[in-house]
Amino acid sequence: MIPMKTLYDKLWDSHIVHESPGQPALLYVDLHLVHEVTSPQAFEGLRLAGRTVRRPERTFATVDHAIPTLNRDLPFKDPIAAKQVETLRANCKEFGVALYDLDRIEQGIIHVFGPEQGLTQPGMTIVCGDSHTSTHGAFGALAFGIGTSEVEHVLATQTLPQSRAKNLLIRVDGELPFGVTAKDVILGIINRIGTGGGTGHVIEFAGAAIDALSMEGRMTVCNMSIEAGAKAGLIAPDEKTYAYLRDKPFAPKDEEWDRAVEHWRKLPSEPGAQFDRTVKIDAADLEPYVTWGTSPEMSVKISESVPDLADARDDGQKAAFTRAYEYMGVEPSQKIDAVNIDRAFIGSCTNARIEDLRAAARVARGHKVSGRVKAMVVPGSMQIKRQAEDEGLAKVFVDAGFEWRDAGCSMCLAMNDDVLGEGERCASTSNRNFEGRQGRGGRTHLVSPPMAAAAAIAGHFVDVRNWKFNEQ
Amino acid sequence: MKPFHKHTGSAVPLMRSNIDTDQIIPKQFLKRIERTGYGEFLFYDWRYNSDGSLIQDFVLNDPRYSAASILLAGENFGCGSSREHAPWSLLDHGFCVVIAPRFADIFYNNSFKNGLLLVTLDSADVEWLANEAATEPGKPLTVDLEDCVVTDGQSFTRTFKVDEFRRHCLLDGLDDIGLTLQHEAAITAYEQGRFEAQRNAAV
Ligand code: SF4
């Protein structure tokens, strides 16, 4: 009997270019996304070896990490960032790679850009020199982050030597309660399995609660699978996936579309396919989450308190907790909703799509940002920015006192001017709360977009389930 | 890539878990377009105060460890971003080996591609080595990739596992791209759709 295959098994098997015993398999790469930070040394390597880009038509670049989100018509204030962007421009030109530069409406965070342009499609292999490439797994594509040497490898050969990962199934059954978003689903999962819980595995997310998510929500979940240590995250494509892609610029057209959909329908894991591990989560147990520490697994539900040392599972975690209390300036047993914030950041490839902005605007409508908080909204792409302006969301934010910026990574990693000051505390919709991630000495608490908007207005974390919404 | 066979050097203990690539090399140093010169920025925020002065009690600033070439670390070392600047900065600073109970995936790949050997040992063994390094700074440790052994030449000898192919590449200093291009015909065939049937059969 032929064993039943998982979605990952199918993606893997259909991309093997070459296999020999004792060696990693050579996988074909369908789509290679490129940005300014992890590519200069890769192009330089090509040049030194006299190589070319094998498939420029499968390679797409945009700028996102180091660019400013204000006054983009002026020259960059940071000459080193300017040089990096210039270098990408020159490289794309020299090697014939399409670049969606700052003057393009398509420009945005690379993981927002790919799906939005319909470049990301089910059944593909997708790589990018960026760990959050896992985002694209929401379409049933095998998508993972690579380093600069691997970027060079893919540019030169359109393939990558890879070892097969294990299959981990995470089922989220039931219905998400009111006020619980995709962000809370993934924070809840990481809280449960830990930052190493997915190491060596590709996670497939399934179950009624995942099925019910929009494509935006599914991208949020897959985006943070890397924070659970996984190689990639996956969600089987379905009608929602096809509806999302239907008229996107790079989506297949006419008959090709029909053929593509027919192929995509064969991708989902077969009933009875074997997973190496399965984790089951009941959606009803989830609440809005807030991270309290310096690792995405250090989170609590909004109704809870910062854990005590006694809650640590071992000595290593005790030491990590102690360090995190100190760095974050929080006390064991402190109620998380008693923590005041100084900044709020709504943005990043985790949570800067139109649906995220709608959810945050719904909270912000008719309210004012607290006098103690500086808050900003950074759309994931210029296209989303325009759409949010057309839908009146931008006005809601501006009226409430949020800054409204141009698209980019911004304070998710603070490579540009958007930086937390020493000791400043931020409610952030991004994906990493590491020490110094948003600025040296900065304190990051990861939350969903509605929770960030509510915290910006209240001046401290609040339970968005009790929010007073001003409907239009 | 420089081949790696055997290395003898002293170790420095940095036994925190989840040391992420943002700590190894903070983002403000990622804007450069070169591969070299990152060593001085290694663990920048842990090594320096905001005014640029040294943080005296950070272990890498302890002169007794200034010659260390083996880093001992806690669980999940190298988690976070895919920045290859992390192994570049470790190598540039003079580290040849990192020993930890577990490494993050992308960092693991990046390190081997640059000739930085990562050795996975049980937590208890890493702890033991860290204690030794703390009580006797400068004590030599040998990491042998041919036999896959870590030893202090006295009471401590452990074998470690490393993927055979990676080991082979590191021992011979092989260039990945060169290896792959030996399969040029297979890549072209795949692209020409010779594997179309296989692709359809696979799903
Ligand atoms: S938004 Fe943040 S996580 Fe996403 S690609 Fe940019 S820097 Fe990376």
Side-chain angles (χ1 to χ4, degrees), chain A residues 87-141:
Chain A
T87 304
L88 181 65
R89 286 177 185 145
N91 284 330
C92 286
K93 201 160 163 218
E94 179 180 345
F95 290 98
V97 171
L99 168 65
Y100 291 80
D101 207 340
L102 286 175
D103 55 352
R104 298 284 296 262
I105 183 78
E106 298 92 341
Q107 180 266 330
I109 304 170
I110 191 94
H111 311 308
V112 175
F113 160 82
E116 204 167 72
Q117 294 312 313
L119 290 165
T120 301
Q121 295 169 19
M124 281 185 165
T125 45
I126 303 175
V127 299
C128 172
D130 192 282
S131 54
H132 292 98
T133 308
S134 58
T135 312
H136 308 261
F139 290 79

Side-chain angles (χ1 to χ4, degrees), chain A residues 272-343:
Chain A
Q274 286 298 311
F275 287 83
D276 298 283
R277 261 172 73 206
T278 300
V279 173
K280 284 193 186 150
I281 289 187
D282 185 352
D285 292 341
L286 298 172
E287 278 186 33
Y289 278 80
V290 182
T291 64
W292 64 267
T294 51
S295 159
E297 68 183 12
M298 295 177 175
S299 64
V300 290
K301 295 172 177 170
I302 183 66
S303 61
E304 296 176 340
S305 306
V306 174
D308 270 331
L309 273 189
D311 299 326
R313 59 174 179 258
D314 54 31
D315 285 351
Q317 199 175 46
K318 242 178 220 164
F321 275 18
T322 309
R323 216 181 136 76
Y325 297 144
E326 154 113 27
Y327 181 86
M328 292 297 292
V330 294
E331 303 285 333
S333 302
Q334 181 178 9
K335 290 282 292 174
I336 198 71
D337 61 7
V339 174
N340 287 336
I341 62 162
D342 310 298
R343 305 281 294 266

Side-chain angles (χ1 to χ4, degrees), chain A residues 24 146-154 159-162, chain B residues 1-2 35 84 87-88 91 106-118 165-166 169-170 173-177 180:
Chain A
I146 57 179
T148 297
S149 294
E150 291 171 310
V151 170
E152 184 180 337
H153 193 285
V154 176
T159 64
L160 208 54
Q162 284 290 306
Chain B
M1 189 172 80
K2 231 173 74 191
R35 258 178 213 262
E84 201 157 313
W88 294 338
L91 284 163
I106 305 178
F107 175 78
Y108 196 80
N109 286 334
N110 284 343
S111 296
F112 275 85
K113 296 221 185 310
N114 286 278
L116 177 67
L117 176 61
L118 305 184
F165 181 72
R166 285 210 168 95
C169 289
L170 204 48
L174 291 179
D175 163 20
D176 255 17
I177 299 180
T180 294

